[in-house]
Amino acid sequence: MAKVRDIVLMDKPGERVLLLGNEAIARGALEANIAVYAAYPGTPSSELTDTMAMVAQKAGVYMEYSTNEKVAFETALAAAWSGLRAMTAMKHVGLNVAADTFLSAVGMGVEGGFVIMVADDPSMWSSQNEQDTRVYAKFANVPVFEPISPHEAKEMTKYAFELSEKFKHFVLLRTTTRSSHARGDVVLGELPEEIKQGKRKFGEFKKDPSRFVDVPANARRFHPQILEKIEKIREELAECPFNWIEGKEDAKVGIIAPGLAYAYVKEALAWLGVNDVKVLKLGTPFPVPYKLLEKFLEGLERVLIVEELEPVVEEQVKTWVFDKGLTIEIKGKELVPRVYEMTTRRAVTAIAQFLGLETPVDFAKIDEKYEKVKTIAPPRPPSLCPACPHRNSFYAIRKAAGSKAIFPSDIGCYTLGVLPPLKTVDTTVAMGASIGIAHGLSVASGEKQIIVATIGDSTFYHTGLPALANAIYNRSNVLIVVLDNFVTAMTGDQPNPSTGETPHGPGKRIPIEEIAKAMGADFVAVVDPYDIKKTYETIKEALKVKGVSVVVSRQICALHRIGQMRRRGEKWPLYTVNEEKCTGCKICINAYGCPAIYWSEEKKKAQVDPIMCWGCGGCAQVCPFGAFEPIKEGEQ
Amino acid sequence: MKDYNIVITGVGGQGVLTASQILGWAALRAGYKVRVGEVHGMSQRFGSVIAYVRFGEDVYGAMVPEGKADVIMAFEPVEALRYINYLKEGGLVIANSKPIPPVQVSMGLAKYPSMEEIRNIIENEFKAKLIAFDAEELAIKAGHAITTNTVLIGALTQTPEFPLSAEHVKEVIRLSVPPKAVEVNMKAFDLGVQAARELLGL
Ligand SMILES: Cc1ncc(C[n+]2csc(CCOP(=O)(O)OP(=O)(O)O)c2C)c(N)n1
């Protein structure tokens, strides 16, 4: 198993390798001779950005971790204006953040190819909402591609750059969790000379205010131009290699399978043993190429559209059929759920129902049997890591502010503070929202309610900054605790302005306390959450101040630290329970809740799992009886 | 071969994703069309984790459909039970018997089932076979608890009708781990093979 970096840079056209969907897209971008890449991480898009970070310098690509999706979008866009091939990537909600620029700039078009990769998360495995980026494609009149496999994702990336350049238009590459996080066999293509030599490419921005300044007089020209472009692209896509018709030519029944749904349809047909249908595989759910659709519909009496989430293809197909005055029975969302992700089970069930067949296994029976499992398998939600500094911060905040205080929080690992026993997260909405919500709650309560907001470092730079300015300017009365663990932990340990480092060397560190001071916060302090008492006392003090208080709770992410120590072969202290001192009061479990601590029913004592303990010593500070003791070196 | 489907389950941090990648590579090197399905992000933080490894002609998506897994390899007993709906009738579950009680259990908010309860549902309700053994103990015997996943992969290769040879999979592990970890992993693999053969009566 070679390293991802080496595979993605491998100069062996024709070689078959195993790559994650996101890694395959990175390879596709290199094969397309990308020059500039800028993105802010977000599951399930992050591995694309992380792979670009690994290969960029060697391949002569400018790559950055931007501070949010909007600036990432603008960075890549300006490079594309300058004639370079450029790409940005984000999770679905990232496009909401970048939407202002996206929808305003789309009429200006580009010179170099510009590909916007957006990763959706149907079923919300790691997300705060379920949204369908293909709706944005329609909204902005931008073509959207959706791959069925890592190999196709790579090929589509290349094609997307070419299409973008040909029509001077934006192109969306939409994945989902199941295509971004699927590993599959990929055949490597040629790498361009410049990538092989690692030569940075530079562009030139040619001034044209009539195009790049969107005053109304110019913008009025853009809208009709966009509509004209998208119809030309619709024509072009009838010939695109990712759209095709397969199956029985003179079939009476057809199935339309957009994006990854094609994979489930193929499996469902094989599982059902059905082979007398015609299938339209659509790699471009918007715009649906009408020429190809017309050919597909020839001779069909009934059509089923197996589509995940919103009826984007369904509406286009139905509109076209209606306009042509055809009488074909078309079923879609009646048989295919509009919520959550597509599965083979869903495809099998819909197709079986549509064709009047039995499913190959009795899913209802499986569900029935599974009811028993549900009653006896204890839930195992994710939790903060052992030694996570956020746990200590929440513990101290709750103790200092009391349970009557309201705790608006934000998006990051610390969102897990919602779970028992910490329960110090009362609201989360979208990145950066903690501060605005805290301010609004304070206003609503007449500044009487104690409000303690928590926000991570990465989230603070992302969208916390303008919210803090607003709170200070409007003389709010809130405490904001910035949980500064130096990295963007939730999405896989990416650097940000608190880290100071970039993947390619030193960046510039921006200390959060200096920002708070410069903005005029009424109280600013920095604490180490590994010192729980001091953290508690500082929060108490901050709560006495009327106005906006900012406490930066700073300690390196435990997962990051342990990873580094493991690589260096270093050891960390391990804690154990002195059973003579443990009274079985369970404070460590019922108030602190470190996953390394568990309860022994036999002994009626707390125990530490030595494999899970990462040695922060928080338990020793929390236990009123001093029962947690470090194991002596050598006895570990 | 039309398709072979493996479901791998465990607790975030136990090495479920590493195991799925190794099996994916092994299948690729044996010339198969491969899909590995993973979930990154939130669940990796000590939550319940599932991954899928599939290979063969009829494989397109990355997820094993419910009722279609040939085998489940579980790093933890409750996690074997939680995903049992993926297994086909007559399928096999290979599980590490060492429990990791969730925090909710320690807090007294939930109960951890006994191995008998787990076995009962798997064997009597789902008509499957369960072989369970302390893979962590064998890993420690091999030299390090971190090789628990290698022990389990070793055991997995003994599944009746498993399409890849034990030697082939072992070779992929040898090439995948850092040089200084090769020896412990090879030992761990063999211990897993042995344990499974005994339990399966081979
Ligand atoms: C608009 C948007 N972009 C990206 C994400 C993905 N995401 C979830 S949490 C997070 C940041 C976490 O970093 P930080 O605030 O430093 O907290 P940590 O996880 O390190 O505790 C990101 C980028 C998102 N949910 N929404």
Side-chain angles (χ1 to χ4, degrees), chain A residues 1-2 7 16-18 20 43 47 125-126 148-150 177-178 181-186 260 262-264 266-267 270-271 341-345 361 363 365-367 369-370 372-373 376-386 412-413 415-416 419-421 489-493 559 566-567 586 589-591 593-595 597-599 609 611-612 614, chain B residues 10-12 18 20-22 24-25 27-29 31-48 52 54 58-68 76 78-79 81-87 89 98 100-114 117-118 121 125-127 136 140 145-146 172 175-176 180:
Chain A
M1 225 161 52
I7 300 173
R16 248 177 107 238
V17 295
L18 189 70
L20 202 62
T43 316
E47 299 78 11
W125 298 104
S126 264
I148 54 166
S149 67
T177 298
R178 298 304 177 180
H181 290 168
R183 229 168 262 279
D185 32 323
V186 169
L260 190 57
Y262 172 80
Y264 305 117
K266 286 291 277 187
E267 291 192 11
W271 208 5
E341 71 184 359
M342 179 65 63
T343 58
T344 302
R345 172 177 172 168
V361 302
F363 294 115
K365 211 173 121 203
I366 295 183
D367 290 345
K369 289 194 288 187
Y370 193 72
K372 263 217 187 109
V373 174
I376 76 159
R380 195 191 300 276
S383 81
L384 294 171
C385 297
C413 284
T415 304
L416 293 168
L419 296 173
M490 179 86 268
T491 47
D493 201 12
L559 192 59
R566 276 195 187 127
R567 280 190 292 278
K586 277 190 147 182
I589 290 167
N590 290 344
C594 170
I597 304 172
Y598 63 95
W599 178 248
D609 181 344
I611 293 180
M612 301 265 277
W614 291 352
Chain B
V11 179
T18 312
S20 66
Q21 279 177 42
I22 285 175
W25 269 102
L28 182 92
R29 282 172 63 101
Y32 289 110
K33 176 179 169 192
V34 184
R35 290 286 180 278
V36 179
E38 308 172 358
V39 172
H40 299 201
M42 200 78 145
S43 56
Q44 281 174 290
R45 301 275 181 272
F46 302 90
S48 161
Y52 315 89
R54 335 182 50 206
D58 275 352
V59 163
Y60 292 89
M63 285 182 291
V64 174
E66 283 157 86
K68 217 169 191 285
E76 205 274 347
V78 155
E79 299 313 317
L81 182 62
R82 197 186 308 281
Y83 298 104
I84 191 67
N85 49 330
Y86 284 91
L87 199 64
E89 256 184 37
K98 165 103 192 288
I100 301 179
V103 176
Q104 276 73 6
V105 170
S106 285
M107 289 180 74
L109 301 174
K111 204 179 136 282
Y112 196 95
S114 70
E117 281 176 282
I118 294 174
I121 294 195
E125 300 283 334
F126 282 86
K127 310 275 179 263
E136 188 179 297
I140 291 167
I146 210 157
V172 170
L175 295 172
S176 306
K180 61 174 196 261

Side-chain angles (χ1 to χ4, degrees), chain A residues 40-43 69 91 93-94 97 128 390 411-414 431 456-459 462 485 487-491 496:
Chain A
Y40 182 73
T43 316
E69 291 86 353
K91 71 181 285 156
V93 286
V97 177
Q128 58 265 43
H390 299 336
I411 315 280
C413 284
Y414 47 92
M431 284 189 74
D457 48 330
S458 190
T459 305
H462 179 277
N485 61 2
V487 294
T488 312
M490 179 86 268
T491 47
N496 68 47

Side-chain angles (χ1 to χ4, degrees), chain A residues 578-589:
Chain A
N578 179 334
E579 290 177 10
E580 273 164 27
K581 289 190 186 168
C582 176
T583 64
C585 75
K586 277 190 147 182
I587 282 182
C588 54
I589 290 167

Side-chain angles (χ1 to χ4, degrees), chain A residues 126-190:
Chain A
S126 264
S127 298
Q128 58 265 43
N129 79 352
E130 188 170 56
Q131 68 183 46
D132 189 333
T133 294
R134 301 172 312 154
V135 175
Y136 260 118
K138 200 176 148 216
F139 187 21
N141 285 297
V142 163
V144 59
F145 287 81
E146 191 196 335
I148 54 166
S149 67
H151 181 76
E152 196 184 67
K154 174 174 85 76
E155 295 302 309
M156 268 185 179
T157 307
K158 285 195 280 188
Y159 185 92
F161 273 109
E162 277 155 27
L163 189 80
S164 167
E165 227 158 71
K166 180 166 176 186
F167 290 91
K168 296 183 182 262
H169 201 40
F170 296 2
V171 174
L172 279 164
L173 176 64
R174 182 241 192 189
T175 65
T176 61
T177 298
R178 298 304 177 180
S179 51
S180 270
H181 290 168
R183 229 168 262 279
D185 32 323
V186 169
V187 181
L188 300 182
E190 294 272 358

Side-chain angles (χ1 to χ4, degrees), chain A residues 257-435:
Chain A
L260 190 57
Y262 172 80
Y264 305 117
V265 165
K266 286 291 277 187
E267 291 192 11
L269 293 174
W271 208 5
L272 284 162
V274 169
N275 43 31
D276 57 351
V277 295
K278 198 158 50 157
V279 175
L280 174 60
K281 185 271 189 201
L282 273 183
T284 60
F286 182 84
V288 169
Y290 288 148
K291 259 197 220 146
L292 196 66
L293 178 69
E294 182 167 17
K295 203 166 143 215
F296 171 73
L297 292 176
E298 258 170 33
L300 292 182
E301 289 165 7
R302 307 177 65 216
V303 171
L304 173 66
I305 302 167
V306 181
E307 183 170 24
E308 190 174 56
L309 299 185
E310 292 301 299
V312 172
V313 168
E314 187 175 331
E315 284 172 6
Q316 292 174 78
V317 171
K318 283 183 172 167
T319 308
W320 188 85
V321 167
F322 182 84
D323 287 350
K324 293 280 161 193
L326 302 179
T327 48
I328 299 176
E329 179 193 348
I330 300 172
K331 287 265 184 293
K333 288 296 149 195
E334 302 96 318
L335 298 179
V336 182
R338 191 165 169 172
V339 296
Y340 313 147
E341 71 184 359
M342 179 65 63
T343 58
T344 302
R345 172 177 172 168
R346 284 185 162 192
V348 164
T349 308
I351 295 171
Q353 215 177 329
F354 186 64
L355 299 177
L357 301 170
E358 294 267 320
T359 56
V361 302
D362 187 347
F363 294 115
K365 211 173 121 203
I366 295 183
D367 290 345
E368 197 184 303
K369 289 194 288 187
Y370 193 72
E371 283 303 312
K372 263 217 187 109
V373 174
K374 282 199 213 152
T375 60
I376 76 159
R380 195 191 300 276
S383 81
L384 294 171
C385 297
C388 175
H390 299 336
R391 175 179 296 103
N392 294 11
S393 297
F394 282 133
Y395 183 83
I397 290 170
R398 200 176 169 83
K399 247 183 117 168
S403 57
K404 286 220 183 73
I406 305 179
F407 304 109
S409 189
D410 228 301
I411 315 280
C413 284
Y414 47 92
T415 304
L416 293 168
V418 66
L419 296 173
L422 295 168
K423 297 204 270 189
T424 312
V425 169
D426 290 325
T427 71
T428 69
V429 186
M431 284 189 74
S434 58
I435 300 176

